[in-house]
Amino acid sequence: MSLTDILSPSDIAAALRDCQAPDSFSPKKFFQISGMSKKSSSQIKEIFRILDNDQSGFIEEDELKYFLQRFECGARVLTTSETKTFLAAADHDGDGKIGAEGISLFIFI
């Protein structure tokens, strides 16, 4: 399964266009534009599984900086500031990584 099986390719493209400039990435806005915020909890867990590059069950900081590239291989890498802000917002237990439940809570808040 790929992200385009769950999300519209045109919505993904629009979300990526919105954050092309360094330090312009807003996770909440990206989730809204891409359509992720309208998906069910089970769909979000499937998206998370696809985004979890090493299939560890968590998205760690080193994976998070490549978040946009998981949607499109030519997308930019998140800046250090964007990565840290995203991690801090979605890491609800402070362990330095995001689990599927953490990302689901973050998307729906």
Side-chain angles (χ1 to χ4, degrees):
M1 180 171 279
S2 73
L3 290 169
T4 55
D5 292 330
I6 304 168
L7 300 171
S8 157
S10 62
D11 289 346
I12 291 171
L16 290 170
R17 272 192 310 275
D18 184 70
C19 62
Q20 282 181 338
D23 293 316
S24 66
F25 176 74
S26 164
K28 289 291 222 183
K29 191 172 181 184
F30 186 88
F31 296 147
Q32 290 171 346
I33 295 171
S34 70
M36 287 174 68
S37 61
K38 296 177 184 171
K39 299 302 177 186
S40 70
S41 181
S42 63
Q43 289 171 309
I44 295 299
K45 286 181 182 177
E46 183 60 26
I47 291 169
F48 180 88
R49 188 191 63 71
I50 294 167
L51 295 174
D52 180 13
N53 198 40
D54 64 3
Q55 298 301 296
S56 66
F58 298 96
I59 298 176
E60 295 88 4
E61 187 172 348
D62 61 325
E63 287 177 298
L64 197 57
K65 67 182 171 183
Y66 299 104
F67 178 80
L68 297 177
Q69 291 183 349
R70 301 296 290 157
F71 290 86
E72 182 182 278
C73 63
R76 72 177 180 86
V77 174
L78 294 179
T79 66
T80 300
S81 174
E82 289 170 322
T83 303
K84 290 189 180 303
T85 300
F86 191 177
L87 182 63
D91 177 15
H92 295 289
D93 60 6
D95 64 356
K97 51 191 175 184
I98 304 168
E101 276 68 35
I103 200 80
S104 292
L105 288 172
F106 182 65
I107 288 171
F108 295 123
I109 291 177

